[in-house]
Amino acid sequence: LKMQHEQREGSEIELIQPSLSWDLGDRVSEYHGFAKIQRLLFIAERCPSVSDDAYRIAIDELKQTQHTAIYRKVFDIVQDRLGAPHVIDTTWADGVDKKSQNTHERLEIELQGFKANLVRSKIRTGLNELGHFYRATGDFNNALRNFIRTQDYCISTDHSVEMCMNIIKVSIEMGNFGHVRSYVTKAEQAIEDDPVILAQLKATDGLANLCTHKYKLAAEKFVLTGPELAGNMDILTCREVAVYGGLCALAEFNRGELKRNVLENVNFKQFLELVPRVNQIIVDFYNCQYASCLESFESLKNDLKLDIYLHEHIEGIYEKVRNKALVQYFSPYTSIDLGNMAEAFQTDVSGLEKELAKLIVGGQISARIDSHNKRLYARETDVRCQTFEEALSVGEEFQLNARSMVLRVNLIRNNMWVTPKKEKGRKKR
């Protein structure tokens, strides 16, 4: 789990207080199994106000699975503070471990028998069963190893796609997003016309790009996800696709792309209807209502920081959206009063000056700041000078091409070129 990794690395975990409208039950209701447990433990670690409730739900969910290692680790954290009936049940955990051991031995024996008989389809089935067993018990490394081994025993397109999907799901649970992107590409090359699998591939590819900070690629994949994803994915939900895709698009798409790929995208609008607040943020930004857009985004940030995949990206995405808003707000003007601009963006003048200075240095705004009069002036381009420079550049290019043509003609006229060697004739028998 990510929280355990962060604890091992010694990084500080930011504690979050969500908005009043945020509800724990609603947040995890669409998940089951490990996906639900993973999110509950993530929230419990970061949100003290619902920590105990999250641990209780996680413990109840763990007892429906074979994840006894996580079950014991949870009680190492909470001890006895949750009270009955949420106290450690060692009898249950030991019983599950014993059953898992027996199942593992049986599957290994069956697989050895299949290999001895050299039946390719049976070997593939045995490796898949062993992979699913390891995944169910939380041993993702061994699960991944067995799923990869099935590649040598795939005899049809369906087998290849199944192998890719198994590897993608385990890789996401492991946080190995390089594997995800690689096997998404393989599956897309192998798949025929299956809208459900295609929707899953687009969604998981988008997630992999998001988690590797490739926000534009992530947005492009998420907005292409079909509505067939609903009810057919145990790792990502339609609501998550809407949030991730909507915010990545807002951060990276220009106005034309935002209108064409998001606001006029019939399929993706079905996803956005599940998250009205994110939908309204996008609409406000497109309609140049930047104050309303940024205020709504700011109020949503803490809730988004409790998302297991989005939490480390939300500040960066918010900064990109705010910078885009500043650039677009100033674009129609030759000069503007910084006080009015600061009021529109709900900040003070000194803070706004720092933001604008950063954008000017980065080349995102062609302007200069008058700190004395508190105004921002656009840098005017000398159109006449620019036209002369372009004309000179075209002339120089024409001269270079003309000299090259004259040189080539003279070389040909004086027989100064390399001719291909004639092949020697074959000897007659």
Side-chain angles (χ1 to χ4, degrees), residues 16-86:
I16 304 298
Q17 181 57 46
S19 65
L20 296 175
S21 61
W22 187 88
D23 179 72
L24 175 64
D26 179 62
R27 180 68 189 85
V28 300
S29 62
E30 296 180 272
Y31 308 96
H32 61 274
F34 182 74
K36 185 173 184 177
I37 294 163
Q38 194 179 29
R39 286 159 175 80
L40 283 165
L41 297 182
F42 181 87
I43 293 167
E45 190 71 12
R46 286 161 175 77
C47 186
S49 61
V50 298
S51 179
D52 287 355
D53 289 337
Y55 278 128
R56 289 188 183 98
I57 301 172
I59 290 168
D60 291 339
E61 190 69 24
L62 280 164
K63 295 198 74 172
Q64 306 301 316
T65 69
Q66 300 175 58
H67 293 284
T68 54
I70 300 175
Y71 179 81
R72 291 187 173 95
K73 286 179 181 177
V74 168
F75 278 103
D76 287 342
I77 297 170
V78 301
Q79 300 295 326
D80 297 326
R81 79 167 189 252
L82 300 180
H86 295 94

Side-chain angles (χ1 to χ4, degrees), residues 409-424:
V409 169
N410 286 330
L411 289 170
I412 294 172
R413 183 179 296 168
N414 291 281
N415 294 321
M416 297 176 66
W417 75 88
V418 179
T419 57
K421 293 182 179 180
K422 295 182 179 180
E423 294 183 4
K424 295 182 181 180

Side-chain angles (χ1 to χ4, degrees), residues 186-200:
K186 287 184 179 181
E188 287 177 337
Q189 292 171 350
I191 197 172
E192 295 176 357
D193 187 16
D194 188 334
V196 174
I197 298 296
L198 283 172
Q200 292 177 354

Side-chain angles (χ1 to χ4, degrees), residues 107 111 114-115 122-134 142-143 145-153:
L107 291 174
L111 180 60
F114 297 149
K115 287 182 176 180
K122 292 290 186 180
I123 295 173
R124 188 187 70 85
T125 301
L127 288 169
N128 270 332
E129 288 180 352
L130 203 53
H132 288 304
F133 165 78
Y134 281 125
N142 275 322
R145 190 176 296 114
N146 280 278
F147 286 139
I148 290 175
R149 286 174 181 168
T150 64
Q151 187 169 358
D152 296 330
Y153 303 97

Side-chain angles (χ1 to χ4, degrees), residues 129-179:
E129 288 180 352
L130 203 53
H132 288 304
F133 165 78
Y134 281 125
R135 186 186 175 200
T137 56
D139 189 348
F140 299 119
N141 286 319
N142 275 322
L144 181 62
R145 190 176 296 114
N146 280 278
F147 286 139
I148 290 175
R149 286 174 181 168
T150 64
Q151 187 169 358
D152 296 330
Y153 303 97
C154 293
I155 57 178
S156 70
T157 300
D158 290 342
H159 292 167
S160 298
V161 172
E162 181 187 5
M163 178 267 298
C164 290
M165 291 306 300
N166 286 333
I167 292 173
I168 287 167
K169 290 176 182 179
V170 173
S171 297
I172 288 175
E173 291 168 336
M174 294 174 67
N176 187 344
F177 295 102
H179 252 121

Side-chain angles (χ1 to χ4, degrees), residues 198-199 201-207 209-210 214-229 236 238 240-254 256-272 278 282:
L198 283 172
L201 292 174
K202 294 297 182 187
T204 51
D205 200 7
L207 178 63
N209 282 296
L210 167 65
K214 297 175 181 177
Y215 301 133
K216 185 158 190 178
L217 278 174
E220 290 170 352
K221 299 298 181 181
F222 282 128
V223 299
L224 292 175
T225 303
E228 296 81 9
L229 183 73
L236 277 176
C238 294
E240 285 178 323
V241 169
V243 174
Y244 302 163
L247 296 182
C248 288
L250 194 59
E252 295 292 343
F253 285 175
N254 58 38
E257 291 171 329
L258 196 63
K259 180 181 180 182
R260 182 174 59 256
N261 297 329
V262 179
L263 298 177
E264 293 181 351
N265 185 332
V266 176
N267 285 337
F268 194 68
K269 283 179 72 175
Q270 296 180 41
F271 290 102
L272 285 175
V278 173
I282 297 171

